[in-house]
Amino acid sequence: MTGSQGARILIVDDEPQIRKLLKVTLQAHQFEIHECADGEEAVIQASIVHPDLIVLDLGLPGMSGMDVLQRIREWSQVPVIVLTAKDREEDKIAALDGGADDYVTKPFGMGELVARIRVALRHVAKTTDEPVMRFGPLTIDLAQRLVDLDGSSVKLTPTEYEMLKVLATHAGKIITQRQLLQQVWGGHHHESDSHYLRVYVGHLRKKLQEDPTRPRFIQTEPGIGYRFLLQD
């Protein structure tokens, strides 16, 4: 799969009307659709169909959506967008920490969901072993640990660089505060120290010449974490 067109999407939802809406709309956007209504079948279908992306409801009969996510993450890194009526921050954080790539709450706009799907698929398409990542005017050379913006070198501290690297290598995906703290600082000592993130993200934004109210690269997901924005 080289682009979003023709991508295989597995819809997992126990509400027939939701599945029908998703199927009709996504097929109109040239996606190939597979569907199922319960968790056990979702795990089986994921292994048989090998979807390019999964849209997963959390409130499933039998095996819960979180259990489905855990099972799939044991062997696959396929993008998973959680689509659910649960809108508490704790539920979103649990799903994202559990391996979901994005989170959309019901009721939802189909335009937003299609956009999230395309972003997730673009992130997969961008994931390569290339040591140089480019995001519009921003270039990150992972091999030499160099950052360049609009042709000029950006001087970052080791911690700022590690934070930028984690965000950029997961571009398009929400990274929770916990995930970011663990990957940048390591261990469990800083898991509750979200003020570290605010300080360092603030430093990064200044060095990337970014207005926090109109993010060009780093978008804040309030109460949850951050998302590095893919560039056209």
Side-chain angles (χ1 to χ4, degrees):
M1 195 267 296
T2 57
S4 63
Q5 188 168 359
R8 291 185 303 276
I9 297 179
L10 175 61
I11 299 168
V12 186
D13 199 300
D14 63 328
E15 298 182 57
Q17 63 272 31
I18 294 290
R19 293 201 308 276
K20 182 177 180 181
L21 171 64
L22 291 172
K23 183 176 182 179
V24 170
T25 304
L26 295 178
Q27 282 181 334
H29 285 84
Q30 308 304 310
F31 294 113
E32 176 187 325
I33 303 301
H34 300 264
E35 57 181 292
C36 56
D38 64 77
E40 289 83 357
E41 181 65 19
V43 175
I44 295 171
Q45 286 293 314
S47 64
I48 294 174
V49 173
H50 297 295
D52 296 303
L53 182 139
I54 298 173
V55 177
L56 175 67
D57 184 18
L58 292 185
L60 298 171
M63 183 187 294
S64 72
M66 284 298 298
D67 288 338
V68 171
L69 181 60
Q70 182 180 8
R71 288 279 298 277
I72 289 174
R73 281 292 174 257
E74 291 175 0
W75 53 271
S76 174
Q77 291 303 310
V78 59
V80 176
I81 296 180
V82 166
L83 180 65
T84 181
K86 298 181 178 181
D87 61 356
R88 297 186 310 162
E89 282 185 5
E90 304 95 288
D91 295 317
K92 296 179 182 180
I93 292 169
L96 293 165
D97 280 342
D101 293 77
D102 212 336
Y103 198 107
V104 178
T105 54
K106 300 176 182 176
F108 59 94
M110 281 303 307
E112 178 189 1
L113 179 61
V114 171
R116 299 282 185 96
I117 287 172
R118 285 179 170 156
V119 166
L121 292 171
R122 283 170 58 202
H123 171 244
V124 173
K126 274 180 170 282
T127 303
T128 68
D129 293 328
E130 281 292 321
V132 179
M133 297 186 294
R134 293 179 176 83
F135 303 92
L138 180 68
T139 301
I140 305 170
D141 187 327
L142 298 176
Q144 300 188 62
R145 298 173 67 89
L146 298 175
V147 179
D148 184 280
L149 178 64
D150 291 320
S152 300
S153 177
V154 180
K155 303 299 183 185
L156 301 179
T157 67
T159 301
E160 291 166 354
Y161 173 80
E162 286 301 319
M163 178 172 286
L164 178 62
K165 182 178 76 171
V166 171
L167 290 168
T169 53
H170 296 85
K173 177 178 178 179
I174 299 174
I175 301 296
T176 67
Q177 294 176 355
R178 178 168 168 262
Q179 289 171 332
L180 198 49
L181 286 164
Q182 285 184 333
Q183 292 191 50
V184 174
W185 279 273
H188 301 281
H189 180 67
H190 295 289
E191 277 190 17
S192 61
D193 297 331
S194 59
H195 63 279
Y196 280 103
L197 300 182
R198 289 192 295 272
V199 170
Y200 279 96
V201 167
H203 292 167
L204 263 181
R205 281 176 165 154
K206 286 181 180 178
K207 292 185 177 183
L208 297 178
Q209 303 170 22
E210 180 171 76
D211 179 357
T213 63
R214 300 179 63 186
R216 182 158 70 152
F217 301 110
I218 304 170
Q219 177 176 295
T220 301
E221 298 287 343
I224 298 172
Y226 300 91
R227 187 199 305 264
F228 196 87
L229 300 174
L230 287 166
Q231 310 290 308
D232 292 323

